[in-house]
Amino acid sequence: MRRRVSAQVPRTDQVAVAFFGDGSVNIGAFHEALNFAAIWKLPVIFFARTTSGWSTRRTSDVTAVANPAADRAAAYGLESIIVDGNDADAVYEVTSLAIARARAGEGPSMIEAKTIATGPLSADPGKYRPDEELAEWLLKDPIPLYRSRLVEMGVSEDDLLFLEADVDAEVEAATNEAKAGDVPGEEFLLKDVWADGGASWRN
């Protein structure tokens, strides 16, 4: 509702984007959000990153449709948009179109980007995935793929190496700053989470 007031009512060109994974699409809040966004024609883009068949277990074991987000979007009147999540240009193109639709007052869009998490997480080492399937997806890693595309477009190797070094330095500086900083207190952690700035009123 707050986004509706801040963007739709004053008729600004703001667009809200909600990013989530395929683990979110089987809960009620997902369906409620799509329904209300469609009814009110809110300037919202729902962007689902689906891990092409896996969400700690085979998606087909827990979801009845092949495309967990996009296939359900049609039930709420949203266009079902499926894109290769490893193709940066394709993602940019469909997202740009969705933003234009939202700004034109045509309501929300659902984008389902097919990709996979290739690295282990502390809470999910991903041992359930077959090694050969993971190896196939590693060949589709968007970073080296886009690097090759830039080379084909005429970007020099020296320019790419300079860019990579610049990004590495920026990430390293941000990491060091975060490690050297103070541990956030409760006031910071709960800022803007509740209407009054904290959760004390709930206790």
Side-chain angles (χ1 to χ4, degrees), residues 114-135:
K114 299 282 191 179
T115 183
I116 198 167
T118 55
L121 306 174
S122 58
D124 177 20
K127 297 297 184 183
Y128 45 82
R129 293 180 301 196
D131 291 340
E132 60 274 13
E133 188 173 320
L134 181 58

Side-chain angles (χ1 to χ4, degrees), residues 5 8 16 20-22 25 35 38 46 49 76 90 108 125 136 150 177 194 202:
V5 172
Q8 190 185 60
F20 50 91
D22 43 6
V25 300
N35 185 50
F46 297 96
R49 178 193 60 81
Y76 301 102
E136 182 181 343
L150 289 173
E177 182 180 352
W194 310 109
R202 293 174 58 89

Side-chain angles (χ1 to χ4, degrees), residues 161-175:
L161 289 173
F162 176 82
L163 178 62
E164 289 167 348
D166 189 47
V167 171
D168 286 343
E170 186 175 348
V171 170
E172 184 69 17
T175 301

